Amino acid sequence: KEDAAKETSDTTVAKKGEEHVAADEDEEERGQHVTDNTGDGGDGEDGQKSSAFVSDGRYRNKQRCLVLCSRGVTARYRHLLEDMRTLMPHHKKESKLDPGSAGAGQAINDIMQLRSCSSVLFLECRKRQDCYMWLGLANGPSARFHISNIHTMDELRLTGNCMKGSRPILNFDQSFSNFGHLKLLKEIIIDIFGTPRGHPKSKPFVDRILSFYYADKKIWVRNYQIIEQQAENALEKHLAKKQSGQEEATSLVEIGPRFVMTPIRIFRGSFGGQTLYSNPNYVSPNQVRALERRDKNDAYVNRKESQKKRKERKEQIVLPEDPLDSVFR
């Protein structure tokens, strides 16, 4: 019995040794395959950097964005929300939310947790004329913007047209790398508007650019289609290659929607918390309307004062009595 036990133990040890040897050989083959795919040579730091970007195309970055609006939005803002849902295939749709007196922050956080969403885009309408947009992550930070100069896809009637569900190229100007609050907003925008690779509802094509420009203390948003025009004959092909160095001419055509975002405040948490940034140049729409009414009131007061002065001046101008006035009567 002891001899039989020794023989069985020796066979198991031999099998384990063979398995380890086979695993080492597989690892060596995989390493050779990676070095072959790294390009020229595939050795050194350049080969390691290039091998880090090798992707298998699977859906790993599983992010979902909750897109909803408050009750009482106008038709223009509702169409803008539908356009945003069209641009974001990774969105989660939710019905209109009634914020009530307590506010919509806690309710939206609960909905995000129930729908397993990592970010949120919330359109809030005040007085049926002022539109505010909330962009935030599940655990913060979050930012509030005032939306103006809204033009939807149906309203613009532009010639640009891209594939529905295609992944966009997010373009930011140099200002988003120079200012601290814009750097934070850039990361929030990338998490919300960037479509995860391999999403079931997305298409494996990149045929549009979503651009964000910072000018006049505001963020201007534009959506363009990438068009590659091929030359029809050899002459056009030669001229295009002579001018741009490429045989195919690439151009951009605007699709829509377009709108302007004015940053108001950035919070550390989701829909609240410590204030990280507050825009000192922001003027609320209520103050703008109050100034306009004050200007109209000033115009009315000035008109009444001018009428009063004219009446007083007319009374002061008195002609002397003419002694010959009663001669011919």
Side-chain angles (χ1 to χ4, degrees):
K1 290 181 181 180
E2 292 178 358
D3 295 337
K6 290 181 181 180
E7 290 178 358
T8 53
S9 62
D10 295 337
T11 54
T12 53
V13 170
K15 288 182 180 180
K16 289 182 180 180
E18 293 177 356
E19 290 177 356
H20 287 298
V21 171
D24 294 337
E25 291 178 355
D26 293 339
E27 289 180 357
E28 290 179 358
E29 291 179 356
R30 291 176 183 174
Q32 292 177 359
H33 181 68
V34 170
T35 54
D36 293 339
N37 291 335
T38 53
D40 298 336
D43 51 354
E45 295 180 358
D46 297 337
Q48 293 178 359
K49 289 181 181 179
S50 59
S51 63
F53 293 96
V54 176
S55 174
D56 55 357
R58 294 183 180 180
Y59 178 41
R60 299 184 184 276
N61 185 20
K62 297 184 179 181
Q63 293 188 1
R64 303 174 183 86
C65 181
L66 181 66
V67 180
L68 74 164
C69 64
S70 63
R71 190 168 298 278
V73 295
T74 59
R76 181 184 295 272
Y77 304 148
R78 188 173 65 252
H79 292 166
L80 174 64
L81 190 70
E82 291 299 328
D83 293 343
M84 302 302 291
R85 287 170 176 166
T86 304
L87 298 178
M88 301 163 60
H90 60 289
H91 76 274
K92 286 290 184 179
K93 190 175 181 180
E94 187 67 26
S95 59
K96 294 180 181 179
L97 181 66
D98 189 6
S101 59
Q106 186 61 36
I108 293 176
N109 290 332
D110 295 340
I111 295 173
M112 290 174 61
Q113 186 176 3
L114 292 175
R115 302 295 298 272
S116 299
C117 296
S118 59
S119 57
V120 62
L121 188 151
F122 176 60
L123 279 185
E124 182 182 6
C125 186
R126 296 288 184 89
K127 298 183 178 180
R128 299 189 64 85
Q129 54 184 346
D130 300 332
C131 182
Y132 298 93
M133 178 184 290
W134 284 85
L135 299 179
L137 306 180
N139 297 323
S142 60
R144 191 187 187 203
F145 304 88
H146 177 250
I147 307 300
S148 58
N149 298 338
I150 297 175
H151 299 280
T152 60
M153 291 183 183
D154 297 335
E155 179 187 355
L156 290 174
R157 298 189 180 278
L158 297 173
T159 57
N161 186 17
C162 65
M163 180 175 292
K164 185 177 181 180
S166 61
R167 300 178 64 203
I169 297 175
L170 300 180
N171 179 35
F172 300 89
D173 66 350
Q174 189 63 28
S175 300
F176 284 87
S177 300
N178 298 334
F179 301 99
H181 67 284
L182 292 181
K183 291 180 182 179
L184 181 58
L185 292 178
K186 178 180 177 180
E187 298 299 328
I188 296 175
I189 291 172
I190 289 174
D191 287 341
I192 292 177
F193 291 97
T195 303
R197 180 183 50 80
H199 192 275
K201 293 184 180 180
S202 66
K203 303 297 189 299
F205 301 101
V206 179
D207 59 350
R208 63 187 179 92
I209 296 178
L210 191 59
S211 302
F212 299 87
Y213 307 101
Y214 185 73
D216 297 335
K217 308 296 182 181
K218 300 178 182 179
I219 300 175
W220 304 70
V221 183
R222 297 291 184 268
N223 187 26
Y224 299 99
Q225 178 193 4
I226 304 174
I227 297 179
E228 296 182 356
Q229 299 177 352
Q230 296 182 353
E232 296 181 356
N233 49 38
L235 180 60
E236 294 181 358
K237 188 175 182 179
H238 176 69
L239 293 176
K241 189 173 182 180
K242 186 177 180 181
Q243 293 177 358
S244 62
Q246 298 179 355
E247 297 179 354
E248 296 181 354
T250 304
S251 60
L252 299 177
V253 179
E254 188 173 356
I255 306 172
R258 60 164 69 166
F259 53 92
V260 180
M261 304 165 60
T262 304
I264 302 176
R265 197 178 291 262
I266 302 176
F267 301 95
R268 181 183 292 274
S270 179
F271 292 90
Q274 181 183 357
T275 300
L276 300 179
Y277 171 77
S278 179
N279 188 3
N281 301 317
Y282 171 70
V283 180
S284 66
N286 293 328
Q287 295 180 0
V288 174
R289 286 190 291 267
L291 293 175
E292 291 177 354
R293 289 193 299 267
R294 189 177 300 171
D295 293 339
K296 291 181 180 180
N297 186 21
D298 294 341
Y300 175 78
V301 171
N302 294 333
R303 187 173 69 252
K304 289 299 181 182
E305 288 181 356
S306 63
Q307 290 177 359
K308 185 178 179 180
K309 291 180 180 179
R310 182 170 176 269
K311 186 177 180 181
E312 292 176 355
R313 188 171 62 252
K314 193 174 181 181
E315 292 177 354
Q316 292 176 1
I317 300 175
V318 179
L319 295 175
E321 295 183 0
D322 188 5
L324 301 177
D325 190 17
S326 60
V327 173
F328 299 100
R329 289 186 179 178

